[in-house]
Structure formats: structure tokens, C-alpha cells
Amino acid sequence: MAIQTIQTQPFPDQKPGTSGLRKKVAVFQQPHYLENFVQSIFDSLDGFAGKTLVVGGDGRYGNLQATMVILRMAAANGFGRVLVGRDGLLSTPAASCVIRKHDAFGGIILSASHNPGGPDGDFGIKYNTGNGGPAPEKITDAIFERSKTIREYRIVDAEEIALDREHEFTLDGMTVNVIDPVADYAELMAELFDFRAIAHLFQSGFRMRFDAMHAITGPYATEILQNRLGAPRGTVINGVPLADFGGGHPDPNLTYAKELVDEMFGDKALDFGAASDGDGDRNMILGRRFFVTPSDSLALLTANATLAPGYADGLAGVARSMPTSAAVDRVAEALGIDCFETPTGWKFFGNLMDAGRVTLCGEESFGTGSSHVREKDGLWAVLFWLNILARRQQPVETLIRTHWARYGRNYYSRHDYEGVDTAGAEQLMAGLREGLETLPGRQLGLLTVAYADDFSYTDPVDGSVSTGQGIRIGFSEGSRIVFRLSGTGTEGATLRIYLERFEADPARHDQDTQQALADLIAIADDVAGIRRLTGREFPTVIT
Ligand code: VG1
Ligand code: CO
């Protein structure tokens, strides 16, 4: 085998977004496109000669082929060993787990998460560092800079790379270990949670449904819930990963997880329902005819964390992304622990976890996780809930209502306008930014603006500053509207509007969420000109 040096031209559009580089499959299919980005990653890293790289992805269209290219390039660039999931598969949290457990130098994850897959869908790639977490902005910026000047990449010839079974082979002197994608992860879950109590719950007749949405979590959920915890067969639905996710949109929310939602809100609703996304890092939690917002889920897990063996000693602190509701803040206050507010995206939690300052983290976008890995973790959240349900022996709805009665309720919703005209969306954000200074003290509807700013974050660990992370408008009675543009979309722009109102009085905890937020929804349109500038009457997705 010989190392080949291939001449190439830079592509101008390889800027990583909120979570890696995500593009249409057709974009990735351009000659050298993937290779350029992979070489740009390697060129931005130092000191990996002879070290271990972890590679795997969510199984979407193009996953296996890209995995083989990365293996050949890792060998040509001097890595000593690659750990790769069988068939090129690894969920995002499992990849993080494997990087940490095997002391790898880093990892490459192939995923566009919840974005649809297949030849007309999306593909994605991201680099994770040795702590198992998404590369910080310093590295993603360096990768982008490199991608703009790259002229060549290195790759070895290889006849056949067999990834369909667990075995070891060498590729031009580099060792490749094809590993069971589930084993390390399942072992970690068994350390964190009370598997005996959960198994007992299933034995006593508790019934749940887990919708893997034809994505990567299927094999993980089947092994852990059905094989190890004894949940009946059929508990996991859509459990075989498909390259196009069965034509669906593997995003666990009330709109896209329709099969699960129909069952959980129907006459034959089970005790518990959950779903995960394309790459296995998101989760949706449902009780019988009851939806738990991700922000409330984070708050409830925080309040009940010590019921799980892995968290029995308590939490160092918690963190949430800025647009996530402040429900967890009040739990942290009651527990006397720190609560950090970070920009959107899991990469901002890494430093806090590495420094031992936070244990649990969460985002409103159906992401919850802890310092057990450095990614959000869908199935982990489901197991955490099961552990709490097994110990508290109350229905999901009762747990949440009791929680609200104690801490108050944060009515919360996100309105997404997907695939809108980029110029209009940018104009809308620019308009908001220009008007920020004039807003405080002003009356909008019946509310008075207390503050208005463009969120910026100074990392308390390394002092790095991230600006332009979303427009916040806060009102004197505690409500809030946040505007930001998505950094994960691949078509036009996606405008996200986050709405929140705190209600302390338990007598007022039964309102419909959209009604409880109706005045804020109207104000958001008014102040930003949403309908005028996007040409849309309604959001595409409401969560
Ligand atoms: C979205 C979510 C964000 C999440 C990111 C990656 O980003 O809002 O909270 O961290 O997706 O999640 P954006 O920039 O589109 O709002 V995943 O499961 O797509 O890796
Ligand atoms: Co995801």
C-alpha cells in the first residue's frame, strides 16, 4: 500500500456550524469535498502521530463509504490506531464514551443529527477532542481557515476494508479495531443507573414505548431496554437503523415522532414514551397523555438526581443553554449549587464539565446529558427517567405537577420558521440588533421591557468570549423572548423564537402553553416583523 498525495482546490463553504459541517449529500458527493475537510481537521491538530482515533456515525446514507475514506486518510496521516464501530456505526454519545474510555486522541463523528438522510437528505461530519466532546470554537475556526487554503490531502490505497464484523487488521501500518458499537456504552449505563430497580419496574407491569425513529439508537435501546432490563419485545419501535430513516425526519418532538405521540395521547396510552434522534443524542419524554418539555425534564432530573446511583453524591453544578427555560435555575438555587448559562451548542459545556464545575447540562432542543460523556445523550436521559420512576413509583404527570407546585412552572415554547429566505432572516436579526438600545423601559403590548441584548458569553474556565449568540428581550414581570438563527440547517435560514413565562401560582398551572404565551407571541411578531420579513403566517414547527 502506498500513501498518495492528492492535489485539490479549496471549497469556500466548509465552515462548521453549531455542531460540525452539515450539507446536502450532493455537496458532500463533489470530488474531494469530504477529503478536503478531513485533511483540514488533521492539519489543525498537533501531536496525534501513533495515537488513537475513534470513527463512527449514525448510519445515514454515505456513512460507510465516508468511514472508509477517513480510515485511509487516518493511516496516511500517521494515526497509530483507529477504533471504529461495526458497519461504521456509533451513536454520538457512544462515540464520546469510546473516546474517553480508550483514551483516544479524538474522534470523527459522521452525522447530521435530526436532519433527514438519504441521497436527497443531509450529511455531516464533526471532530471531537480527547475529552470526548465537540471541538471548541478555537479548533473549528482553525479547521475552517485551513479548508480555505488547502491544496493537497493524503490517503492510502486499500483494496478492501471489512467493517461488517468485530476484528482487527492493519491499514498501512495503522491498527484498525472494529468494535461492537453498543458494548462500552451499555456498560457505562449499567454503572450509572439502578438496573435492578428498573428491571423490577418492568416486571411489575410498567409499560413503555421507545421510538428509535429508524435511526442509530435502535440497537442501543434494544440491547439495554429489552435484553438487559427485560422490557417486553416491541418496547422499541422503528429499531433498525435505515440509511434514509425510513423517509422520516428523525427529530424527537411532537411533530415528527408522530407514531409515538399518537399512541401516547390515545386511548391505549402506556405509562411512558420516549424517542431519540438520528444520532442518538436527543430525547423526548412523554407520560400518559402528557408531554414533558426538555427544560422541565432537565429541572426534574436535577431535583431527583440523587436517586440514581451514579449521582447519589449530588451534583457539582448544572448548566443550560441560554434559550433553555430557567426552570433548572430555581432547582439549582434550592440545592445551593451553581447554574451556568451558555450559548447554544454542546461544545460550550465541555470546559465546565472538564473543570468539575457542572454535572448535568441541558438544552431546550431535546438535549440532556451529564459529565459521564461530553455529548448530550438521548438514551441516558430515558434511563435516568426510568430510574426515577422506579424509585418514586408515581406517574410522569404527577412527578411534573408536584415539581411545578414546589418550584413554579415555566411555560415555554419554541417557534421555528424553517427554510426561510436568508436575506429576510438576516434583515430581521439586524433590525432587532439595531433597535436593542431603544427597547429597555419601552412598553410592548401590556409588558415593559426590562432588558434587551445580544447574548455574549465569557467561558469561566478559559476566558474565551463568544458573541452574537442570540437576541434576548426580557420583561419586568419575568417573561422572555429570544431570537436566533439556526446553525445546523442546510437550506436557506431557520429562525428560532423562544418564548417563556414563569408562573409561580399552582392554581394557574393548567393553561394551554400557546395561550399562556399568546401575548409574547404577538409581541415577537410585532417587534421583529416576522410575518413581514419571512413571508410566513405561521411557524413550521412548534415545540
Ligand atoms: C440545534 C439546537 C441546539 C443543538 C444543535 C445540535 O442547533 O438548537 O440546541 O445543540 O442543534 O443538536 P441550531 O443552531 O440549529 O439551533 V444535534 O442533535 O442536531 O447534534
Ligand atoms: Co442529534
Side-chain angles (χ1 to χ4, degrees):
M1 274 182 275
I3 296 180
Q4 293 202 32
T5 301
I6 311 282
Q7 304 303 310
T8 186
Q9 298 290 323
F11 292 90
D13 63 344
Q14 297 196 320
K15 184 174 171 55
T18 311
S19 181
L21 182 70
R22 291 187 191 173
K23 299 283 176 194
K24 289 275 162 223
V25 164
V27 174
F28 269 101
Q29 280 169 335
Q30 300 171 85
H32 310 307
Y33 193 88
L34 172 74
E35 291 86 344
N36 273 21
F37 191 73
V38 173
Q39 189 65 52
S40 299
I41 294 175
F42 294 156
D43 288 349
S44 308
L45 303 173
D46 266 332
F48 57 76
K51 300 267 174 66
T52 299
L53 182 72
V54 172
V55 183
D58 63 11
R60 68 179 58 229
Y61 182 84
N63 186 100
L64 189 59
Q65 228 184 334
T67 303
M68 296 192 187
V69 167
I70 293 167
L71 261 50
R72 290 164 55 206
M73 290 185 67
N77 279 274
F79 275 95
R81 186 162 79 123
V82 163
L83 296 176
V84 56
R86 190 185 342 104
D87 295 322
L89 298 180
L90 277 176
S91 76
T92 291
S96 184
C97 164
V98 171
I99 293 170
R100 294 170 66 77
K101 180 165 176 174
H102 300 277
D103 277 328
F105 183 84
I108 292 181
I109 301 177
L110 301 167
S111 165
S113 190
H114 55 289
N115 298 16
D120 301 323
D122 290 352
F123 193 75
I125 173 169
K126 71 171 178 167
Y127 178 70
N128 281 31
T129 49
N131 70 349
E137 278 185 331
K138 192 168 60 137
I139 296 181
T140 55
D141 288 347
I143 296 170
F144 180 46
E145 286 310 311
R146 180 63 190 154
S147 76
K148 291 191 281 193
T149 59
I150 188 165
R151 293 284 162 200
E152 57 183 42
Y153 61 85
R154 286 183 294 289
I155 188 162
V156 299
D157 288 329
E159 300 253 298
E160 191 197 332
I161 300 179
L163 299 181
D164 57 349
R165 60 184 188 279
E166 289 154 48
H167 67 133
E168 181 178 307
F169 59 92
T170 58
L171 199 59
D172 205 55
M174 180 185 82
T175 304
V176 178
N177 290 111
V178 184
I179 60 169
D180 174 354
V182 177
D184 286 332
Y185 178 84
E187 197 177 294
L188 178 57
M189 292 302 113
E191 284 166 21
L192 296 175
F193 300 115
D194 189 344
F195 271 30
R196 274 180 55 186
I198 300 173
H200 194 256
L201 185 70
F202 285 125
Q203 271 160 25
S204 64
F206 177 94
R207 287 294 168 264
M208 72 169 286
R209 199 75 74 210
F210 181 92
D211 189 348
M213 302 189 83
H214 302 292
I216 189 71
T217 333
Y220 295 85
T222 305
E223 170 61 21
I224 295 173
L225 297 175
Q226 296 184 184
N227 299 349
R228 300 199 184 195
L229 293 168
R233 283 179 59 176
T235 294
V236 178
I237 56 171
N238 303 319
V240 176
L242 300 176
D244 66 349
F245 308 118
H249 200 136
D251 200 355
N253 60 40
L254 294 175
T255 303
Y256 293 124
K258 194 171 178 317
E259 185 178 349
L260 176 75
V261 170
D262 284 349
E263 182 178 21
M264 289 301 297
F265 283 84
D267 294 340
K268 295 194 181 123
L270 307 177
D271 301 297
F272 185 58
S276 194
D277 71 333
D279 63 332
D281 57 358
R282 296 187 179 203
N283 73 91
M284 175 169 69
I285 300 294
L286 301 172
R288 193 188 300 267
R289 290 184 277 283
F290 192 82
F291 166 67
V292 182
T293 71
S295 299
D296 280 345
S297 178
L298 175 64
L300 188 126
L301 295 184
T302 301
N304 291 276
T306 54
L307 296 178
Y311 306 92
D313 294 338
L315 308 175
V318 289
R320 62 165 172 84
S321 67
M322 180 273 283
T324 303
S325 101
V328 72
D329 301 34
R330 269 182 305 282
V331 179
E333 200 185 332
L335 292 173
I337 57 175
D338 282 340
C339 178
F340 296 88
E341 185 178 38
T342 59
T344 295
W346 212 260
K347 57 180 172 242
F348 294 102
F349 295 134
N351 276 349
L352 294 169
M353 291 194 274
D354 286 351
R357 297 181 65 175
V358 307
T359 311
L360 296 195
C361 309
E363 294 191 279
E364 50 63 45
S365 54
F366 298 81
T368 333
S370 89
S371 50
H372 69 292
V373 290
R374 292 292 183 277
E375 290 278 5
K376 55 189 186 272
D377 189 343
L379 193 50
W380 167 90
V382 175
L383 291 165
F384 211 149
W385 266 92
L386 285 170
N387 193 138
I388 292 169
L389 290 164
R391 291 290 304 280
R392 301 241 340 229
Q393 296 282 329
Q394 285 172 316
V396 171
E397 180 170 354
T398 310
L399 289 182
I400 289 286
R401 289 194 179 280
T402 315
H403 184 94
W404 288 340
R406 171 159 180 203
Y407 296 99
R409 175 173 182 184
N410 289 69
Y411 283 99
Y412 187 84
S413 184
R414 184 175 105 183
H415 289 197
D416 291 335
Y417 294 78
E418 294 179 336
V420 298
D421 174 55
T422 306
E426 277 167 5
Q427 198 188 332
L428 182 150
M429 293 300 288
L432 278 170
R433 253 180 220 116
E434 274 164 28
L436 280 179
E437 278 172 18
T438 66
L439 281 177
R442 241 177 80 187
Q443 188 93 3
L444 297 178
L446 297 175
L447 305 178
T448 308
V449 177
Y451 65 89
D453 63 6
D454 191 353
F455 182 60
S456 81
Y457 175 69
T458 304
D459 185 303
V461 179
D462 67 13
S464 58
V465 177
S466 303
T467 55
Q469 297 294 328
I471 305 285
R472 311 189 285 186
I473 302 178
F475 299 94
S476 51
E477 42 81 72
S479 304
R480 186 176 76 145
I481 307 174
V482 174
F483 299 85
R484 62 179 280 282
L485 297 183
S486 158
T488 58
T490 57
E491 260 176 32
T494 291
L495 171 68
R496 303 201 195 285
I497 295 144
Y498 310 78
L499 307 138
E500 175 176 3
R501 157 163 291 134
F502 178 66
E503 177 57 68
D505 181 2
R508 297 171 58 86
H509 285 171
D510 279 320
Q511 301 168 65
D512 172 76
T513 299
Q514 299 305 316
Q515 264 160 27
L517 300 171
D519 60 334
L520 292 168
I521 295 168
I523 290 171
D525 184 48
D526 215 39
V527 74
I530 301 168
R531 281 185 293 179
R532 182 166 49 83
L533 291 166
T534 65
R536 300 276 179 84
E537 281 301 310
F538 302 105
T540 331
V541 178
I542 295 181
T543 49

